[in-house]
Amino acid sequence: MKTVVHKSTIPIDQMFVVRELRDKYFDPTWHAHSEFQLFVVLEGTGTRFIGDNIKTFKPGELILTGPQLPHLWRSDEAYFSKAGVMAIHGIVLYLNEHFLGEQALQKEELVMVKKLLAKSKKGLEFFGESKEQAITLLKALLPLKGLDRVIVLLQLLEVLATTKDYQ
């Protein structure tokens, strides 16, 4: 097994980071980070490695991974061809446990979010209507700034925290 590369992704002046990924292939480095990661594949295929779980991936997959959980979305070999025209597209959101402050997740209003984050320690894959709602909210986050970003993030977390459509 390869050594895990540890990455950190959230600047000190931001609560969370959301990025649109467009490239020839997904990052081929087996890595982990201290943040929670919500990731949707919009375009691309390959093999997903999360901890000791290995599974193929395709567009529409929505996964939440917990901190320090090694992972990798390895694009199929065809994406690495120099002459190829294949490309990937995805959206990734990075969030730390204290994004609203040290005690926020202890409050009644966020108890479901706390449970969601605890369940994600080994990774969660979402399905059904809640997955589609979450993907729509992730896309909506991309152009937003300021408080609007935080409001949509909280809506997204509520969708994920209240669904039973996950594995």
mmCIF file of all heavy atoms in Angstrom, residues 4 8 29 56 89 91 123 131 150 160:
data_model
loop_
_atom_site.group_PDB
_atom_site.id
_atom_site.type_symbol
_atom_site.label_atom_id
_atom_site.label_comp_id
_atom_site.label_asym_id
_atom_site.label_seq_id
_atom_site.Cartn_x
_atom_site.Cartn_y
_atom_site.Cartn_z
ATOM 1 N N VAL A 4 0.104 7.515 2.382
ATOM 2 C CA VAL A 4 -0.958 8.487 2.181
ATOM 3 C C VAL A 4 -0.377 9.896 2.234
ATOM 4 O O VAL A 4 0.350 10.243 3.158
ATOM 5 C CB VAL A 4 -2.044 8.339 3.265
ATOM 6 C CG1 VAL A 4 -3.118 9.396 3.102
ATOM 7 C CG2 VAL A 4 -2.646 6.949 3.229
ATOM 8 N N SER A 8 -4.131 19.788 3.070
ATOM 9 C CA SER A 8 -5.004 20.705 3.783
ATOM 10 C C SER A 8 -5.535 21.691 2.768
ATOM 11 O O SER A 8 -4.800 22.167 1.919
ATOM 12 C CB SER A 8 -4.255 21.431 4.888
ATOM 13 O OG SER A 8 -5.165 22.213 5.617
ATOM 14 N N THR A 29 -3.504 10.777 -6.818
ATOM 15 C CA THR A 29 -2.724 10.599 -5.592
ATOM 16 C C THR A 29 -3.592 10.053 -4.461
ATOM 17 O O THR A 29 -4.631 10.634 -4.128
ATOM 18 C CB THR A 29 -2.123 11.952 -5.152
ATOM 19 O OG1 THR A 29 -1.420 12.533 -6.240
ATOM 20 C CG2 THR A 29 -1.187 11.772 -3.977
ATOM 21 N N THR A 56 -16.209 0.863 -8.578
ATOM 22 C CA THR A 56 -16.168 1.709 -9.767
ATOM 23 C C THR A 56 -17.008 2.962 -9.506
ATOM 24 O O THR A 56 -17.919 2.951 -8.679
ATOM 25 C CB THR A 56 -16.713 0.971 -11.008
ATOM 26 O OG1 THR A 56 -18.049 0.559 -10.747
ATOM 27 C CG2 THR A 56 -15.844 -0.224 -11.359
ATOM 28 N N HIS A 89 -15.183 16.014 -14.808
ATOM 29 C CA HIS A 89 -15.841 17.192 -14.239
ATOM 30 C C HIS A 89 -16.414 16.757 -12.894
ATOM 31 O O HIS A 89 -17.043 15.695 -12.795
ATOM 32 C CB HIS A 89 -16.948 17.675 -15.178
ATOM 33 C CG HIS A 89 -17.640 18.912 -14.727
ATOM 34 N ND1 HIS A 89 -18.901 19.242 -15.157
ATOM 35 C CD2 HIS A 89 -17.275 19.905 -13.889
ATOM 36 C CE1 HIS A 89 -19.273 20.378 -14.605
ATOM 37 N NE2 HIS A 89 -18.297 20.804 -13.826
ATOM 38 N N ILE A 91 -17.408 18.395 -8.594
ATOM 39 C CA ILE A 91 -17.445 19.483 -7.619
ATOM 40 C C ILE A 91 -17.043 18.880 -6.280
ATOM 41 O O ILE A 91 -17.534 17.812 -5.894
ATOM 42 C CB ILE A 91 -18.839 20.125 -7.504
ATOM 43 C CG1 ILE A 91 -19.278 20.705 -8.853
ATOM 44 C CG2 ILE A 91 -18.844 21.221 -6.426
ATOM 45 C CD1 ILE A 91 -20.716 21.189 -8.878
ATOM 46 N N GLY A 123 -16.997 7.026 5.319
ATOM 47 C CA GLY A 123 -17.505 7.365 3.997
ATOM 48 C C GLY A 123 -18.978 7.033 3.859
ATOM 49 O O GLY A 123 -19.440 6.014 4.362
ATOM 50 N N LYS A 131 -30.037 12.872 -2.943
ATOM 51 C CA LYS A 131 -28.770 13.029 -3.666
ATOM 52 C C LYS A 131 -28.920 14.094 -4.754
ATOM 53 O O LYS A 131 -28.067 14.974 -4.898
ATOM 54 C CB LYS A 131 -28.334 11.700 -4.293
ATOM 55 C CG LYS A 131 -27.062 11.838 -5.132
ATOM 56 C CD LYS A 131 -26.734 10.586 -5.900
ATOM 57 C CE LYS A 131 -27.521 10.554 -7.168
ATOM 58 N NZ LYS A 131 -27.072 9.534 -8.126
ATOM 59 N N VAL A 150 -23.054 30.482 2.980
ATOM 60 C CA VAL A 150 -23.281 29.793 4.249
ATOM 61 C C VAL A 150 -24.717 29.270 4.312
ATOM 62 O O VAL A 150 -24.956 28.136 4.750
ATOM 63 C CB VAL A 150 -22.978 30.721 5.445
ATOM 64 C CG1 VAL A 150 -23.293 30.033 6.764
ATOM 65 C CG2 VAL A 150 -21.523 31.171 5.403
ATOM 66 N N LEU A 160 -28.615 16.329 3.481
ATOM 67 C CA LEU A 160 -27.818 15.121 3.731
ATOM 68 C C LEU A 160 -28.057 14.548 5.119
ATOM 69 O O LEU A 160 -28.069 13.331 5.310
ATOM 70 C CB LEU A 160 -26.338 15.417 3.519
ATOM 71 C CG LEU A 160 -25.935 15.830 2.102
ATOM 72 C CD1 LEU A 160 -24.459 16.146 2.039
ATOM 73 C CD2 LEU A 160 -26.317 14.759 1.079
#
